[in-house]
Amino acid sequence: DAKTTQPTSMDCAEGRAANLPCNHSTISGNEYVYWYRQIHSQGPQYIIHGLKNNETNEMASLIITEDRKSSTLILPHATLRDTAVYYCIVRGDTGRRALTFGSGTRLQVQP
Amino acid sequence: DTEVTQTPKHLVMGMTNKKSLKCEQHMGHRAMYWYKQKAKKPPELMFVYSYEKLSINESVPSRFSPECPNSSLLNLHLHALQPEDSALYLCASSPGEGRYYGYTFGSGTRLTVV
């Protein structure tokens, strides 16, 4: 599975959009981009995933660049409850056959 | 039911004790996972079960013994643990092992070894 690079931490004002970047320059054609988050002392929560097209669900939007080397998770109207560690994970069918977490981005939503 | 349920939520055990962690899901998922998470670190994979058979063991010490009695239930048996094994133990499930599937995680068991 391709390696990902995320900023260690980010701040966002409550009510504003939170844009979390992820670099995955070695991604291959059959690898999906997944985003999970982990609120303090809870289990990780699935947010969204995509292959090449942009995706949107009730929680967030995922924007994947045309060359697929990077992506951005967008929380359109961040709330204090969105304060969490956000993990960007790339998964294919070769290499590790299970979800492998990197260090993630610690997002702090400020009132 | 869209949840993974882990019990107990908290466990304190001595180094000579034997205890078990339990994980249950009723979503019809055929893959189940154990992860270990130390403070301020990301979760680390321990074991994967697929269709009730052990698929991946990430070189976990034998004092951790997983068991999958049926497709809904996953246990982690603990024996002769060390204080450094204190951590949050997370269970997850997914419809299958493939890259298309998202995981559903439980809220974890916080284990303290004294």
Side-chain angles (χ1 to χ4, degrees):
Chain A
D1 296 337
K3 184 176 167 56
T4 61
T5 303
Q6 298 178 252
T8 304
S9 63
M10 294 180 64
D11 286 344
C12 175
E14 190 176 18
R16 297 290 197 132
N19 297 287
L20 291 93
C22 180
N23 183 288
H24 31 79
S25 57
T26 60
I27 194 169
S28 62
N30 68 351
E31 291 182 314
Y32 283 76
V33 179
Y34 277 83
W35 285 84
Y36 286 77
R37 73 180 182 184
Q38 188 172 22
I39 295 168
H40 182 61
S41 295
Q42 296 182 21
Q45 178 189 24
Y46 165 82
I47 301 173
I48 199 167
H49 75 281
L51 185 62
K52 59 176 79 170
N53 297 322
N54 297 337
E55 302 287 346
T56 295
N57 63 21
E58 65 278 3
M59 287 183 68
S61 295
L62 173 60
I63 309 297
I64 302 174
T65 58
E66 195 164 338
D67 63 8
R68 304 210 322 123
K69 293 185 177 182
S70 65
S71 60
T72 301
L73 179 74
I74 301 172
L75 308 178
H77 305 286
T79 72
L80 298 179
R81 288 175 295 181
D82 293 321
T83 292
V85 178
Y86 287 77
Y87 296 101
C88 170
I89 301 168
V90 171
R91 289 197 67 201
D93 271 345
T94 57
R96 299 292 300 279
R97 295 198 332 271
L99 206 61
T100 302
F101 291 83
S103 300
T105 295
R106 184 169 298 276
L107 176 69
Q108 180 71 49
V109 180
Q110 306 282 0
Chain B
D1 189 353
T2 59
E3 289 187 346
V4 172
T5 303
Q6 289 190 245
T7 53
K9 294 201 181 307
H10 301 273
L11 178 63
V12 179
M13 62 184 290
M15 289 188 284
T16 58
N17 291 161
K18 285 185 181 181
K19 296 286 185 184
S20 297
L21 309 184
K22 180 179 170 182
C23 173
E24 203 162 2
Q25 57 89 14
H26 297 287
M27 295 177 280
H29 288 179
R30 304 315 300 263
M32 297 185 76
Y33 312 83
W34 281 114
Y35 283 81
K36 173 182 177 179
Q37 186 173 27
K38 302 283 279 184
K40 299 189 187 302
K41 296 290 188 183
E44 295 179 354
L45 183 68
M46 299 176 71
F47 301 104
V48 178
Y49 272 83
S50 180
Y51 289 84
E52 300 158 49
K53 293 192 185 317
L54 184 64
S55 170
I56 297 175
N57 176 342
E58 289 288 293
S59 302
V60 178
S62 61
R63 57 186 185 269
F64 296 91
S65 175
E67 178 197 21
C68 189
N70 60 59
S71 60
S72 300
L73 190 56
L74 186 66
N75 298 320
L76 186 63
H77 303 297
L78 315 172
H79 173 54
L81 295 194
Q82 303 296 311
E84 58 264 29
D85 296 321
S86 298
L88 181 67
Y89 288 84
L90 294 160
C91 175
S93 71
S94 64
E97 275 192 280
R99 67 187 190 275
Y100 322 100
Y101 302 118
Y103 289 19
T104 302
F105 282 83
S107 55
T109 294
R110 188 161 298 282
L111 174 69
T112 304
V113 181
V114 297

